[in-house]
Amino acid sequence: MTAEPIYGLMAEFENPTDLVHASKAAFEAGYRKMDTYTPFPVEEAAEAVGAHHNRVPLVCLIGALLGMIGGYSLEYWVSVINYPINVGGKPFHAWPAFIPVTFECAVLGASLATVFGMLALNGLPQPYHPVFNVPSFTGATRDRFYLCIESQDPRFSISDTRKFLESYHPLQVSEVPY
Amino acid sequence: MPNKTDSHPNLISPDEIKPASLELETVRKKLAGANGPKYWRTLQELADQPALGELLQREFPRGAGEWLDPVSRRGFLKLAGASLALAGLAGCTRQPYEQILPYVRQPEYLVPGKPIFFATAMPFGGYAHPLLVETHEYRPSKIEGNPQHGACLGGTDLFAQASVLDLYDPDRSINITYKGEPRPWGEFLGSIRARVLYHNSNQGAGLRFLSGATSSPTFGSQMRAIQQVFPQSKWYRWEPAHHDSFRAGSKMAFGAYYDSIYKFDAADVVVSLDGDFLSGSWFPGFVRYARDFMTRRKDPEKGMNRLYVAESAPTTTGAKADHKIPARNAEIEQIARALAAKVGVAGGGAGQLSAEHQKWVDAAAADLIQHKGKGIVVPGVFQSPAVVALVHAMNAALGNAGQTVTYIDPVEIDPLINTDSIRELVGEINAGKVETLIILGGNPVYDAPADLDFGGVLEKFVADQKNMVLQLSIFKNETTDFATWHVPEAHYLESWGDARSFDGAVTLIQPMIAPLYDGKSANEIIAIFTDEPSSSGYDLVRAYWRSQHTGDDFEAWWRRSLHDGYIANSAFPAKQVAAKLGAVPAAAAVDPNAIEIIFRPDPTIYDGRFVNNGWLQETPKPLSRGTWDNVAYISPKMAQQFGFFVLETDGIAKSDSEPNVNADHQSDAQNVLEITIDGRKVKVPAWPQPGHPDGAVTLFLGYGRRKTGIVGTGTGYDAYSVRPVGSQYTGSGSIQVIPEHWDIAITQGHFTMDTREPVKAASLKEFLEDKHFAHDEPELEPRENESLYPDYRDKGWYKSNAWGMAIDLNSCVGCQACSVACYAENNISVVGKYQVQRGREMMWIRIDTYYAGDPANPSVYFQPLPCMQCEDAPCEGVCPVGATVHSTEGLNDMVYNRCVGTRYCSNNCPYKVRRFNFLLFADYTTPVLKLQRNPDVTVRSRGVMEKCTYCIQRITAARINAEEQGRYRDGRIDIRDGEIKTACQQACPADAIVFGDINDPNSRVAKLKSQARNYSVLAEVNTRPRTTYLAAVNNPNPELEKA
Amino acid sequence: MATRIDEEIDVIPPKGVRPPIIGPGQTLGTVADRIGGIVLTKHTPIFWLMIVALAVALFGVLNTAIAYLLGRGVGIWGVNIPVGWGFAIVNFVWWIGIGHAGTLISAILLLFKQGWRTSINRFAEAMTIFAVMQAGLFPLLHTGRPWLAAYWLFPIPLTMGVWPQFRSPLIWDVFAVSTYFTVSFLFWGIGLIPDFASLRDSAKTLFVRRIYGILAMGWRGSAKHWNRYESAYMLLAGLATPLVLSVHSVVSLDFAVAVVPGWHTTFFPPYFVAGAIFSGFAMVLMLAIPFRYLYGMQDFITLRHLQNCAKLMLATGLIVAYSYSMEMFIGWYSNDKFELGLVHNRLHGPYSHYYFVLIFCNIIAPQSLWFNKVRSTPWILFLVSTIVQTGMWLERFVIVVLSLNRDFLPSSWGMYWWTKWDIMTLVGTMGFFVLLFFLFIRFMPAISISELRTLLPQSKVKE
């Protein structure tokens, strides 16, 4: 059989426990290019596939700093440099009055950065992805748990990997076509 | 010049630009001078001459090079930019199709954008009020008093201020009508001429004239002329707010009619028997009197005069009294007799008094006797002749006559008793002796005594075809319905004329603008009867004065008189008259249980002539603060007996009444009384007025008009409908509570100071003991510069001029002239009764009125409240768009076109002096109203906050003027003290408001602010207001204080 | 999906026993079916149609009122001098307050790892967003010239060259409220992504699948995605927590910064925040109780949730009560004549009856929540919440009107009476709110499916 290039092999499990076992084993077996798909966050699975850390917090911090500096400097520039007016005898640089806006700007910047940073890092929105080609994959948002080892992985070979996955008695193992 | 250039580095002075030393002219001369065939081949050859050489080498003549100077180039670019912008603008405008022409001859004096002031006068109740009228491109826009004229010294009353609005009233009568049908002038003239011919044939039998009181010499001469042409004709007079008692009283005392002139600045003790000589517009000369009287109260350290007042209907004069007793008119006559007896006047007989009144009389009499020749007894315009006569006698007995009181011939043209006159006229009409009745001004059908039923009489009269009624009036009113011919009258700002002020000085009336609706003056109408062709008002007045003027310099004299607004030393000389008082007729026995009905002209509508004037309708009545209606004053005690709410002096708010009619608005439902005077009834809203005497009701004339303009329709009740000819100002009748409610609109719901004490007051004794009594809570008052904020002076602010205002609470008589002046000056909108009930009146300077003490006879305080112009203004900090910010001169500026209308500033204003355009209050549609507007002040649109800015347009005008003249002193623009007067200051008769530069230690305002009495309202809020007050000090009699 | 009857589920538990967070017998699948079912079903319930019809009618009333307002001017309302702020600002503060519980539940309870929040946070967040939308209307409409205020309040370069005046609390408001709306919306939005995916996958028709497919943005539940998603969610929670506290603090500064007696107090921020949470939870209950009844969601919104909300109401209510007493105490203790005047005005002034009704609604009525019986009986809870909601509206009325109508100078004291247009605007926003909320229930998962799953025993990884 002339095998067309496939995206990978996907094993479907009934509960998170089995998924985590299989994933851990796969990692120990040296597989790296793999991912799990679950209807709700399963921390162990994420760790198993090696997704420990992410850069979302960093993005958030940058956003916060930008918002904060931007907000305050806007207020300062407007009230002290660009158009200083005597307002009720208050000083031009009335810093206590500038704090609320500065704070709100910081929060706004942080939130926007976090959300859009997260989406960007996740590569979302993404209309097409091979895993959706697996007929039974709809379970991934319902009550099934999937482990997909990708063909890009150096140690990937259809037969061995299939054997390896089946050894963790999944409900089924299916090929993920491109 | 040098310091000018210093101040304007951008300007290059002309002498810096040198013209080229040799121009082509000189070259030509040179060539011309060359004789013989001496040609020049090249320019070089000609150019041996250095100068020409220079000319040739230079591309441009000298001076043109100045364009390369950066400053000038910038100037050039500015011009270029501006012209481009203008070109753009021009592109936007639609050119009119009609052919328009520029001035061929520029009108004299006219500088577009600069106001011109003309002197004229307002005839009012037979007296002239000398005025200075501000005109913009010959549109009268603002009335001021004529500062050179002794009758006002620059002050005005609210009627003069508001009269300019009448000129532009869209409801004015605009055409001649015959039985209601519009007719051309020619037809009218023809009809009248025919009439004149007819009366020529019968010596004027059946020809009758009815006019109001007048003091116009020209008019007087015309009257005499009529008498010669028509010997049988008769003149009658009806002035609804007449001074009959003055006449009768004068007759009683002197055997002839005289007018009294008072010198209040010379009086130490003033006893007023209901004489409203402060701020009572019906009291001849009050504007001058208020000024004179207050000169004795401006500086208590120099001593003060003392004022005793016994009055029936509470007035502002009573409010300023040191000792006031409320008394019914009947009682006042008793008081007069008792007082007279005490000061040694026989014939009055001793009146029987209550203990309280007796005490007052004793004290007053003692004081008067103590200050013989330095006291004044003032009679009330509306008192009985007996009171007036007794007063004359008292002034004589006390030696005041000749000192503080002088007598002159009556200013009014042939004075008479109005009630007799009108009674006689009605008698004649009923007797069929009248065929032609000429009614010059006035509105007798509405305001003639009720029991004469003038309307009914007139109806029968005109029913007969051969009879004719000619009415001249500025409005179509109730009388117009019975007029065969109606002719629109010219407003005094449209007509020529003359009149005498209270002291007899002749003031000339010159028109500011051609009659808007071809109105005619009374003089012109009379002229139809005498001369052919009838002459114009100008000819009449001029001709008369030419005949009067002795000397050949008439032209110069005439021009000067017109310019000054009055004829120099034309005041009547004082007469030496002795009061030889016979037996004063005994007072009619009064049933103490009978309810006394008191009639008074309305404080803001007068006799009804101003009922269609929006400014005056919305101006709160002094003391009651009511607008848009007249109420009936009753005493708080009476109100309690009836179970009405009582306007308590302890902080119970009356405007807290739940809305009773529709939950849609806040209204003040008043209980309704029905007043019955010999059979005639009128329903009136009762108002419990603190200080009103018991057993009496005060009705105000002038409202309840059946036929008037949009503004006046449906306001108030008609007191004339029950006013009998027999008892014009004091009657008696019965009152009955009606289970109805009458919504009135008041601008102030609380009349007590609660614990806040915005007004600081003390007696002279207390003041002398503690001059700083106004600062009684030092722990609450922040020290100078005690603030977390920086001092902007350190930043170089407020350096040039720092405007401030000081208001002397001692002087303020609460007459409301300032409020109306502010309406006129600042294009303030009138909002109407409903909006006032909602609390949305737009008054920029209001006069807060507070009562303290016993409601039966409280002490009253007035406090004019404009914007305080706080240096640390709470309103500014909270504005999200910076629409109200501070100027370098310390003004709290309002930027109308930046305001989005959050109203946060108003909420945060401790003084609540900000006003908001909740709806589109300004009238953008009525064309004629636009003529009145002050072009220097924005007309505020809907949704915008507005407030007093110390008449910033006047400040700016003065500053520009000073800069044009290059007036600078030590880095400051040198604006002279008093060069700027705010509208309120200028209008104030008592000179209570002083505005100026507080940086200048010698300015009046700075001096006042340095006085011990000077204090800031709500100092503890530390807003550092620029408007401060001089605490009130009164001067009670120690004798009475002890008791 | 047989709905179960109230009586069976809502039995008052014996003492000491707390009801479960989630009903027995629910599995990963049934959760999706029950919650997704509401959205995916073709059959629209009749009560939904009736409620939405009513809401649309009220929405029409709102639009009428706004149209007339823009045509005539703010003068059609009862505002005047001295009471420059009336219903509009009262409603604004009221709605903003309601909008606080949502973010609070989602964020703060998340940080405190309160598992029970998961079944109510979704519609609490929706409630927040819709309430803030209502609130946002008022500050704009109450200005004299809304068409200018709409953009002059933001720092946009204008030809005039002038900028917003950043010392004004109203500008702080603009930033606070708009930030709050944005952040709440983002929080709500990313929470929805996995559920949209779930709807996408259980959708029956292609069209519906497409719609939710687009909304799900291709979510596939990858571990790496979950990992970032989780931290983003936590971060937002961390940000929203100070934000939610700041928003009502800033709103309270509108008053506290002013010099008006009754406004000019330092303890307004905490006082306002407590009040906001108070009314917020009242609103959560007012929505949750009918919702769980109408849609038979008693398994997911159990008595446990109602009780917890009730307890939080009681707690915040006590803080509010404390604030009221302090307000009066400080007024008296300051011995400042204006503060004393304020106390007098509240107790004996023309509006004193409003104040006493307020005391009943916000202090006396909530005390009933001490009793387990009350906390466990939905209809009583609903009643109490309604009373509290009214009380909180009155509180703002008292703060705005009773302070302004008698401030410094007696001469300028006045009264405030609203007009029918004030009423129409208030009722109209209620209609608008209900409309938005029921549209949300019909077309979006009202309970977070993916989060709810984590509560099930099946979701735990056994070693």
Side-chain angles (χ1 to χ4, degrees), chain B residues 540-561:
Chain B
L540 291 165
V541 178
R542 190 181 153 89
Y544 174 77
W545 287 107
R546 181 176 275 290
S547 68
Q548 294 300 305
H549 181 63
T550 55
D552 44 13
D553 60 339
F554 177 73
E555 217 29 70
W557 176 85
W558 174 249
R559 282 185 68 88
R560 193 180 65 252
S561 306

Side-chain angles (χ1 to χ4, degrees), chain A residues 6-8 26-27 29-35 148-158 161 178:
Chain A
I6 57 167
Y7 174 75
F27 194 83
Y31 289 105
R32 289 295 177 267
K33 287 203 176 306
M34 59 179 175
D35 202 346
C148 177
I149 301 183
E150 291 157 29
S151 55
Q152 303 299 321
D153 190 281
R155 316 184 88 259
F156 180 85
S157 92
I158 295 196
T161 310
Y178 272 114

Side-chain angles (χ1 to χ4, degrees), chain B residues 324-335:
Chain B
K324 181 214 165 187
I325 47 163
R328 302 194 294 167
N329 287 322
E331 296 167 330
I332 287 180
E333 184 166 335
Q334 298 300 328
I335 290 170

Side-chain angles (χ1 to χ4, degrees), chain C residues 16-211:
Chain C
V17 183
R18 304 177 73 190
I21 297 179
I22 188 163
Q26 297 290 354
T27 70
L28 292 172
T30 54
V31 169
D33 296 335
R34 285 296 305 286
I35 298 168
I38 300 173
V39 177
L40 294 175
T41 174
K42 284 208 163 25
H43 142 82
T44 305
I46 187 73
F47 64 79
W48 188 90
L49 291 171
M50 284 157 57
I51 293 172
V52 168
L54 176 68
V56 168
L58 292 179
F59 184 51
V61 171
L62 175 65
N63 289 319
T64 317
I66 292 178
Y68 189 60
L69 176 80
L70 296 179
R72 282 296 312 286
V74 72
I76 65 169
W77 291 349
V79 283
N80 60 13
I81 311 289
V83 185
W85 287 351
F87 262 39
I89 299 301
V90 173
N91 300 343
F92 163 68
V93 182
W94 185 62
W95 276 118
I96 280 281
I98 288 170
H100 273 54
T103 321
L104 183 99
I105 292 170
S106 340
I108 297 181
L109 296 188
L110 177 68
L111 296 181
F112 288 132
K113 300 232 178 307
Q114 295 294 309
W116 60 276
R117 70 177 267 285
T118 46
S119 42
I120 55 170
N121 72 324
R122 171 65 46 74
F123 72 77
E125 288 161 21
M127 175 194 86
T128 290
I129 290 161
F130 302 147
V132 173
M133 284 168 72
Q134 310 310 322
L137 281 174
F138 288 102
L140 181 61
L141 292 179
H142 101 290
T143 62
R145 305 199 287 177
W147 51 92
L148 297 176
Y151 67 104
W152 280 3
L153 287 170
F154 294 91
I156 303 168
L158 298 174
T159 49
M160 287 181 180
V162 286
W163 296 93
Q165 203 275 99
F166 283 106
R167 301 168 193 81
S168 166
L170 287 189
I171 287 296
W172 309 345
D173 256 2
V174 171
F175 280 82
V177 173
S178 47
T179 304
Y180 185 53
F181 179 79
T182 319
V183 173
S184 311
F185 187 80
L186 292 173
F187 204 34
W188 184 64
I190 67 168
L192 275 164
I193 293 173
D195 289 3
F196 283 140
S198 158
L199 290 178
R200 171 195 64 201
D201 296 342
S202 42
K204 292 167 193 61
T205 66
L206 178 65
F207 174 73
V208 178
R209 187 179 304 120
R210 282 273 162 76
I211 296 294

Side-chain angles (χ1 to χ4, degrees), chain B residues 326 328 331 356 592-593 595 633-649 673 686-697 735 737 854-858:
Chain B
R328 302 194 294 167
E331 296 167 330
E356 178 202 13
N593 309 333
I595 298 292
Y633 286 174
I634 58 176
S635 73
K637 186 142 159 274
M638 187 186 271
Q640 257 161 347
Q641 288 159 356
F642 289 143
F644 298 169
F645 87 88
V646 178
L647 186 66
E648 298 194 18
T649 42
L673 293 174
W687 175 271
Q689 175 60 42
H692 193 277
D694 279 336
V697 181
I735 62 178
V737 183
D854 173 14
N857 185 11

Side-chain angles (χ1 to χ4, degrees), chain A residues 1 3 8-9 14 18 54 60 69 85 89 94 96 120 124 127 130 134 149 151:
Chain A
M1 54 192 250
L9 279 171
E14 186 162 24
D18 298 354
N54 61 63
C60 172
I69 296 164
I85 319 176
L124 297 176
V134 178
I149 301 183
S151 55

Side-chain angles (χ1 to χ4, degrees), chain B residues 653 655-656 658-659 663-664 666 748 750 752-756 758 777 780 838-840 846 848 850 865 876-882 896-904 906-912 914-916 918-919 942-944 1017-1018 1020-1021, chain C residues 69-82 84-85 142-145 147-149 152-153 158 160 162-165 167-171 253-254 258-260 263 337-338 341 350 404 406-413 415 417-420:
Chain B
S655 67
D656 296 349
E658 290 269 350
D664 234 20
Q666 165 188 350
Q748 182 179 345
H750 297 254
T752 72
M753 286 185 263
D754 200 44
T755 52
R756 285 100 202 268
E777 292 171 310
L780 292 183
R838 271 224 165 283
R840 295 169 178 177
R846 62 175 198 263
D848 288 347
Y850 297 107
L865 210 80
E876 294 179 0
V878 296
C879 176
V881 292
Y896 298 128
N897 56 352
R898 175 66 176 172
C899 176
V900 297
T902 66
R903 300 184 296 288
Y904 198 176
S906 169
N907 290 349
N908 209 27
C909 173
Y911 311 93
K912 289 289 174 285
R914 295 180 152 262
R915 300 297 179 198
F916 188 67
F918 286 92
L919 299 166
R942 162 191 145 193
V944 174
V1017 175
L1018 299 177
E1020 55 266 59
V1021 187
Chain C
L69 176 80
L70 296 179
R72 282 296 312 286
V74 72
I76 65 169
W77 291 349
V79 283
N80 60 13
I81 311 289
W85 287 351
H142 101 290
T143 62
R145 305 199 287 177
W147 51 92
L148 297 176
W152 280 3
L153 287 170
L158 298 174
M160 287 181 180
V162 286
W163 296 93
Q165 203 275 99
R167 301 168 193 81
S168 166
L170 287 189
I171 287 296
L253 292 180
D254 288 348
V259 300
V260 180
W263 289 7
K337 49 190 163 190
F338 305 118
L404 283 175
R406 292 188 175 185
D407 61 347
F408 291 93
L409 294 182
S411 61
S412 59
W413 289 359
M415 290 295 282
W417 300 112
W418 52 89
T419 66
K420 55 178 174 301

